[in-house]
Amino acid sequence: MDVNKNPASAGEAPLTISTLFRRKPVPTGYLVEADTGLKRTITTTQLACFGIGSTVGTGIFFVMSEAVPDAGPSVVISFLIAGIAAGLAVICYAEMASAVPVSGSTYSYAYATLGEVVAMAVAGCLLLEYGVATAAVAVGWSQYLNALLGYIHLPAIPHALSAAPWDENPGVVNLPAIILVALCAVLLIRGASESARANAIMVAIKLSVLALFAAVAFSAFNTDNMSPFFLNGANGVTAAAGVIFFSFIGLDAVSTAGEEVKDPQRTMPRALMAALITVIVVYVLVALAAVGAQQADKFKGQEAGLAQILEDVTGSTWPSIVLSAGAVISIFSVTLVTLYGQTRILFAMGRDGMLPKFFTRVNATTLTPVNNTVVVAVVVALMAGFIPLDYLIDMVSIGTLTAFTVVSLGVIILRRREPNLERPFKVPFYPVTPVLAIAACMYILWGLHWYTFVFFGLWVSVVICYYLAYGRKHSRLNVTSDPLGG
C-alpha cells in the first residue's frame, strides 16, 4: 500500500527564505493523514509502556558505568537534573501531541511550527537519536547476555569493544547485538499491536527485576560509599547528566505513534505523563541503591554492573542471574521501541516527499511499513556490531536535547500562531514551563564534549545538503492542491 499517490512535485519552488521556512498547515495535516494505512490499535496503557519500556533500561542497566566515574555518588542528582529537564520537555510534548497527533514526533511538530528546512534538520537529529540509541542499547544488551551465559556455564558470545581501545582484540563482531536487532525487526513487521503487547509484558518483567535489585542493594547500603559525594564537583554532575539524558529517549518515542493510537489527542498526553513519572522514580531509586552498595571507583568500565553489585552484596550468584535474565528480556523492549520510532519518522518524511516513495509503503497484510523496518534494522545492526558503546552515548544525548528544545520552542510558536487550535492538554504555567525546558536542555548541552558538537554539526550539514538537493524539490508542499501538503 502506497500512501504517497500524488506526484512528488508539480514544479520546483524557487530557493528563497520563504520556501525554506514554509510550514505544513496544522489542522488539515493530521485530519487527512489519519487515514494512511496504519491501524489505530494501541491503548493508553500500552503506549505508556512504550515510554517506560524504551527508557527504563538504557540508563539504569549500563549507563551507570559511564556516569558514576564523572559524578560519583552525586550521580543521583544528575539523574534528577536530567529527569527535570526531560520532564519539562515531556510536558511540552504532551501539548504538541494533543494538538498534532501524527507520526513523526518532533519532525512533524517542527514542520508545523518552524518550517521545512528546520524540520529536516530536526529529522536528522531524530534519525541520529533513534538509530544510534538502538545500536547503543543493543551493545549494552550483549553485555548482560554474556554475563548470563557465564552464570549458566555456557561460552560467552564475543561482543564489541565497549571498554577496550580499538587496537585490542581487533575484528571482534558484536553478534548478540545484531541478532537482537533482527529479532526486534521481525516482531515490528508482524504488527504494531503485537509489538505493543510484547513490550508491555517485558516492561512488567523489567520493573519487577529492578524492584528486586533495589531491595537487595539497599540491604547493603553503606554511607561510606557516599563520600565524597561530589566526586568532580558541579562539572562532574553536569557531565554525568549529559550522559544520562541519553536514557530519556523513550519518552520521545511515545510521540512517534500518533497514527496508531486510539483517541490520540487524549491518549498521548496521558501516556507521556505516566511514563515520565514512572521513569524518574525508578531511575533515582535504583541509582541511589547502586551507589550506596558499591564504591564509586568500581563502576568505571564495569560491564553488567547491576548484576555484579548483586553478586558482591549477596555472595551468591542467583540474584545476579535473575537480574541478568531480566535485563536480557527487558532491554529487548528498549531496542524494540526505539527501532519502531525510527521507522515511523521515516514514514512521515516519505509521505511529505522528503524521502522517496519507497519509505511510504505499508504492507497490506501487517499494516506496517516493512521497507522502513528492514532498512533501519540493517543500518542499526551494522552500527551495533562494529561500534563501541563509548562512542555512541554522547551522540544520542545531543540529538535528544535538540529534539526536546525544538518541541518546547514549538509550543510557544504554535500558541501564538494558532491560538484557537484544539488542545486537549495544555502546558501548565505557560510560558514559564517551555522556557525552563529550553534552559535546562541548554544547561545539559553545555556539559557535552566538544567533539560531540563537531560530529553533530557535520551530520546536520549532510542532512541539510540532502534537503537542498532532493527534499526541497520533491516536497509535497510544491503541490498546492495536495491535501497532504496543505
Side-chain angles (χ1 to χ4, degrees):
M1 181 176 184
D2 188 348
V3 302
N4 194 6
K5 296 180 180 178
N6 291 328
S9 176
E12 180 183 342
L15 181 58
T16 64
I17 295 297
S18 61
T19 57
L20 289 177
F21 290 92
R22 55 189 174 183
R23 302 186 303 275
K24 192 173 183 179
V26 177
T28 57
Y30 80 81
L31 289 176
V32 174
E33 292 167 0
D35 183 18
T36 59
L38 299 177
K39 188 177 180 181
R40 294 193 181 277
T41 59
I42 301 174
T43 65
T44 301
T45 301
Q46 289 176 331
L47 189 60
C49 286
F50 260 46
I52 298 168
S54 64
T55 307
V56 176
T58 48
I60 287 301
F61 281 114
F62 60 89
V63 167
M64 293 289 288
S65 63
E66 302 292 329
V68 174
D70 284 332
S74 61
V75 72
V76 176
I77 296 179
S78 300
F79 271 104
L80 282 173
I81 292 174
I84 291 171
L88 292 169
V90 164
I91 292 172
C92 296
Y93 264 102
E95 176 170 323
M96 292 295 287
S98 72
V100 192
V102 296
S103 292
S105 184
T106 316
Y107 159 76
S108 297
Y109 305 155
Y111 210 157
T113 58
L114 299 173
E116 192 169 84
V117 67
V118 178
M120 275 301 295
V122 169
C125 295
L126 292 173
L127 293 176
L128 177 72
E129 174 187 343
Y130 284 99
V132 177
T134 310
V137 172
V139 173
W141 180 82
S142 69
Q143 296 176 4
Y144 277 92
L145 179 63
N146 281 333
L148 179 62
L149 293 178
Y151 287 131
I152 60 178
H153 307 295
L154 291 176
I157 303 173
H159 56 80
L161 312 179
S162 59
W166 281 101
D167 57 353
E168 295 182 20
N169 302 317
V172 176
V173 176
N174 194 333
L175 182 60
I178 295 174
I179 293 173
L180 171 64
V181 173
L183 291 174
C184 289
V186 170
L187 185 56
L188 288 173
I189 288 172
R190 285 181 59 85
S193 60
E194 289 84 352
S195 301
R197 283 194 294 269
N199 177 70
I201 294 171
M202 289 186 280
V203 166
I205 295 172
K206 175 184 307 189
L207 295 181
S208 299
V209 167
L210 289 174
L212 169 67
F213 170 83
V216 174
F218 272 124
S219 70
F221 193 93
N222 187 342
T223 55
D224 291 340
N225 293 336
M226 304 298 288
S227 181
F229 187 72
F230 293 98
L231 185 64
N232 293 309
N235 289 337
V237 173
T238 304
V243 172
I244 290 167
F245 205 85
F246 151 81
S247 59
F248 285 91
I249 184 177
L251 300 172
D252 182 13
V254 169
S255 63
T256 64
E259 291 168 43
E260 293 166 280
V261 175
K262 298 176 181 178
D263 191 13
Q265 289 185 297
R266 289 172 175 79
T267 295
M268 294 182 72
R270 293 171 183 172
L272 280 162
M273 299 309 296
L276 170 67
I277 294 170
T278 303
V279 166
I280 293 178
V281 170
V282 171
Y283 273 13
V284 172
L285 184 67
V286 175
L288 182 60
V291 295
Q294 178 175 273
Q295 294 178 350
D297 58 3
K298 292 184 178 180
F299 281 90
K300 187 173 183 179
Q302 188 177 52
E303 295 189 357
L306 298 190
Q308 186 61 52
I309 290 173
L310 287 188
E311 185 172 350
D312 293 342
V313 167
T314 63
S316 175
T317 58
W318 75 262
S320 51
I321 292 175
V322 172
L323 188 131
S324 293
V328 167
I329 294 171
S330 63
I331 294 179
F332 187 106
S333 71
V334 182
T335 311
L336 179 70
V337 180
T338 51
L339 198 67
Y340 167 90
Q342 191 170 21
T343 63
R344 270 49 180 184
I345 291 166
L346 291 174
F347 177 83
M349 293 175 67
R351 184 176 54 200
D352 292 334
M354 298 295 107
L355 291 174
K357 294 180 181 181
F358 174 85
F359 292 97
T360 68
R361 298 192 177 110
V362 176
N363 183 276
T365 302
T366 64
L367 300 177
T368 58
V370 175
N371 292 345
N372 300 7
T373 305
V374 172
V375 169
V376 169
V378 170
V379 173
V380 169
L382 290 174
M383 287 194 294
F386 296 96
I387 303 177
L389 178 62
D390 297 0
Y391 289 75
L392 296 173
I393 292 178
D394 276 359
M395 292 303 292
V396 181
S397 290
I398 196 169
T400 307
L401 288 162
T402 302
F404 279 20
T405 301
V406 168
V407 167
S408 303
L409 182 61
V411 167
I412 298 173
I413 293 174
L414 203 59
R415 282 281 190 105
R416 294 179 63 87
R417 186 178 292 143
E418 302 275 356
N420 298 321
L421 185 67
E422 182 183 0
R423 296 174 174 85
F425 178 89
K426 288 188 176 182
V427 168
F429 308 112
Y430 175 87
V432 175
T433 299
V435 170
L436 287 178
I438 295 171
C441 290
M442 293 296 104
Y443 173 74
I444 297 176
L445 278 169
W446 183 260
L448 296 180
H449 299 292
W450 65 269
Y451 53 79
T452 304
F453 289 93
V454 173
F455 288 126
F456 179 71
L458 290 173
W459 169 246
V460 173
S461 298
V462 170
V463 173
I464 295 300
C465 289
Y466 166 82
Y467 164 71
L468 294 175
Y470 181 91
R472 185 178 64 86
K473 299 176 182 179
H474 293 80
S475 170
R476 296 184 72 90
L477 292 187
N478 290 329
V479 188
T480 57
S481 60
D482 180 6
L484 291 176

